[in-house]
Amino acid sequence: MCIRDRLWDTFVSWFPNLKGQCPSRGRVAEARQRLPLELWQRLFEKLSRHAQNLSKKDDTWKDHRVVLVDGTCVSMSDTPALRQAFGVNTGYHGQGRYPLARLVTLCLAGTRTIIDCALGGYRAGESTLTFSILQSLKKGDLLLGDRHFAAAHFYVRYQSLGLEFLTRAHQRLKISRIKRCRSYARHDFIGRLHVNKLYRRQDPSLPAHLAVRFVKARLRLRGRQEDVWFVTSLLDAALYPARDIVTLYAQRWRIETLFSEVKVTLSADVLRSQTPDGIRKEILARLVALNVVRSIILEASAMNGVAPLRISFVHAVRAILSFSPALARAPVFMLPRIYQAMLTEIASHVIPRRPGRREPRALRRDRKHYPALKTTRAQWRKQNAA
């Protein structure tokens, strides 16, 4: 049962006179279409600022606000307009069957609150989308990203915006060829990183090189011990020890949990809108809902003294849906008590500590052994009509 149906059934249990009037998916889509895209954008920005204000006591590390960046893809219906607007993927087996949109988000590591987002076609690069929203960050913010965001000319742009950064070293970077300017240890040094001439010809303002810090750690990845190099603008080894930098980078994986919350819990993996603007509104609606839930979790965290990331996001969504009819029907003087009860219930569902937890990206249970449908269902019914 989808969230809409579950919420409506709960409302009817409180308001029986509404029985038999459940809005269809089409009616919900029509209502969303009537709201202009600019309204969704302003609503997202306002709720993002509110959630960031609530996150202030949980979002800093050594006086830096830690910001995670990454991208993911969402699927949608197969219509000519959506194919033209977003494009499809191509691979070994040919062209994909459904259009895909690429979503890049900036979120706070301490609370998984979304600061800003950018939506583009499948062919849009994650770095291009990221640079379109970096102005949402504040000077002194520490940006954590994977190797997609690791390049000398990227580092220059981060620093030009007043941002610090921490990424894994790009897989093509030859660490042994880096000229050492200052060594703190054998695997911890400041080196001179050259900016490729191609990028300097495209942008003459780029410097020929910049000083960054390289830190090496031996980590267990996918069941094997591997040597991993990190690149950062945090040059002071006394203020930022190498061990602390490696430990901090582990927080980057929290954004994968964020994508799970958006795509699985809030059902944004496959979008239902039939127009490009409808897809953008649908994504913004999901992200607005996520920031609303995160804001309520932060209130529950502050009231009950529980770390915000220890509170179950899934249970928080269920609790909000369950309490909403009571909040809609109760007299005004009862609302504070009901709301505080909801916050207490949300804070009572604490996720156990699981340091170093790893999960395979694989299915344990086999899918049904039905063949893949190569055409649309309408085409199949037409071809196989009696």
Side-chain angles (χ1 to χ4, degrees):
M1 181 184 293
C2 71
I3 293 177
R4 175 186 61 87
D5 295 335
R6 186 183 306 161
L7 180 60
W8 180 258
D9 290 344
T10 307
F11 265 103
V12 172
S13 69
W14 282 79
F15 304 98
N17 58 310
L18 297 177
K19 62 183 179 181
Q21 302 179 39
C22 178
S24 65
R25 295 183 187 274
R27 292 291 180 87
V28 174
E30 289 172 5
R32 186 169 54 237
Q33 287 285 4
R34 286 196 293 268
L35 297 176
L37 182 60
E38 293 76 16
L39 175 62
W40 287 106
Q41 292 169 339
R42 291 200 299 269
L43 183 61
F44 171 78
E45 292 168 1
K46 183 174 181 178
L47 287 170
S48 175
R49 289 194 297 269
H50 176 67
Q52 290 178 63
N53 289 332
L54 293 175
S55 302
K56 284 183 178 179
K57 69 181 185 63
D58 299 296
D59 63 3
T60 56
W61 175 84
K62 296 183 184 293
D63 297 327
H64 295 286
R65 197 171 66 153
V66 182
V67 179
L68 309 179
V69 58
D70 205 355
T72 188
C73 289
V74 292
S75 183
M76 60 197 72
S77 302
D78 185 13
T79 66
L82 295 180
R83 277 183 172 259
Q84 183 178 3
F86 297 105
V88 297
N89 64 310
T90 54
Y92 180 79
H93 297 287
Q95 195 176 71
R97 289 182 289 169
Y98 296 96
L100 294 175
R102 192 173 300 279
L103 173 67
V104 169
T105 62
L106 298 171
C107 76
L108 295 175
T111 61
R112 290 205 292 271
T113 294
I114 297 180
I115 300 173
D116 206 346
C117 67
L119 186 71
Y122 177 76
R123 298 298 175 188
E126 288 186 1
S127 57
T128 303
L129 293 174
T130 299
F131 285 118
S132 69
I133 56 176
L134 281 184
Q135 69 276 2
S136 303
L137 302 184
K138 303 175 182 178
K139 289 187 177 181
D141 285 352
L142 176 57
L143 193 66
L144 263 65
D146 59 18
R147 288 177 289 191
H148 283 90
F149 307 94
H153 59 293
F154 289 171
Y155 297 152
V156 172
R157 294 190 64 178
Y158 299 152
Q159 291 186 324
S160 68
L161 295 172
L163 305 176
E164 306 291 347
F165 59 83
L166 171 59
T167 71
R168 281 187 63 179
H170 196 275
Q171 59 269 24
R172 294 184 180 179
L173 182 63
K174 304 298 183 183
I175 304 295
S176 59
R177 299 181 182 178
I178 300 295
K179 181 180 179 180
R180 297 194 176 207
C181 302
R182 181 177 181 182
S183 292
Y184 299 119
R186 181 181 177 186
H187 301 309
D188 181 7
F189 65 93
I190 296 176
R192 177 179 291 182
L193 190 62
H194 289 275
V195 180
N196 192 294
K197 293 181 180 179
L198 173 63
Y199 299 111
R200 283 191 281 134
R201 283 198 296 267
Q202 295 174 351
D203 184 359
S205 65
L206 293 176
H209 54 78
L210 73 157
V212 295
R213 184 177 171 193
F214 296 87
V215 177
K216 181 181 177 181
R218 189 161 183 80
L219 305 177
R220 187 175 182 83
L221 302 175
R222 298 179 181 89
R224 298 183 302 173
Q225 294 288 336
E226 294 185 19
D227 292 330
V228 179
W229 281 98
F230 299 97
V231 184
T232 181
S233 59
L234 305 175
L235 306 182
D236 191 339
L239 187 58
Y240 310 104
R243 183 184 296 273
D244 291 355
I245 288 176
V246 174
T247 302
L248 175 66
Y249 187 80
Q251 295 186 17
R252 196 206 72 80
W253 295 102
R254 293 178 180 177
I255 199 168
E256 303 295 344
T257 305
L258 171 72
F259 289 145
S260 175
E261 293 168 352
V262 174
K263 298 172 71 172
V264 179
T265 308
L266 298 181
S267 306
D269 190 22
V270 179
L271 305 176
R272 297 181 177 275
S273 297
Q274 305 291 313
T275 63
D277 271 357
I279 292 294
R280 297 183 179 95
K281 293 176 186 178
E282 200 170 344
I283 282 290
L284 285 173
R286 292 321 201 274
L287 300 186
V288 164
L290 185 138
N291 273 347
V292 168
V293 176
R294 278 288 157 206
S295 297
I296 294 174
I297 287 176
L298 288 166
E299 292 183 32
S301 167
M303 190 180 81
N304 295 275
V306 182
L309 293 187
R310 296 288 309 281
I311 296 175
S312 169
F313 181 86
V314 173
H315 176 74
V317 173
R318 293 171 179 169
I320 293 168
L321 294 177
S322 299
F323 274 84
S324 57
L327 290 169
R329 186 177 185 181
V332 175
F333 72 91
M334 287 288 293
L335 294 181
R337 290 183 58 189
I338 297 174
Y339 190 74
Q340 289 180 5
M342 182 184 72
L343 296 182
T344 301
E345 288 301 313
I346 288 175
S348 66
H349 284 69
V350 177
I351 300 172
R353 295 188 182 276
R354 294 172 289 193
R357 178 178 180 236
R358 297 185 300 273
E359 293 293 341
R361 290 190 175 183
L363 298 175
R364 180 68 179 88
R365 185 182 294 274
D366 292 339
R367 295 184 181 274
K368 301 296 183 181
H369 301 293
Y370 294 118
L373 185 62
K374 303 296 184 182
T375 64
T376 65
R377 294 184 180 276
Q379 291 172 342
W380 185 92
R381 285 193 292 267
K382 184 177 180 180
Q383 293 170 359
N384 293 272

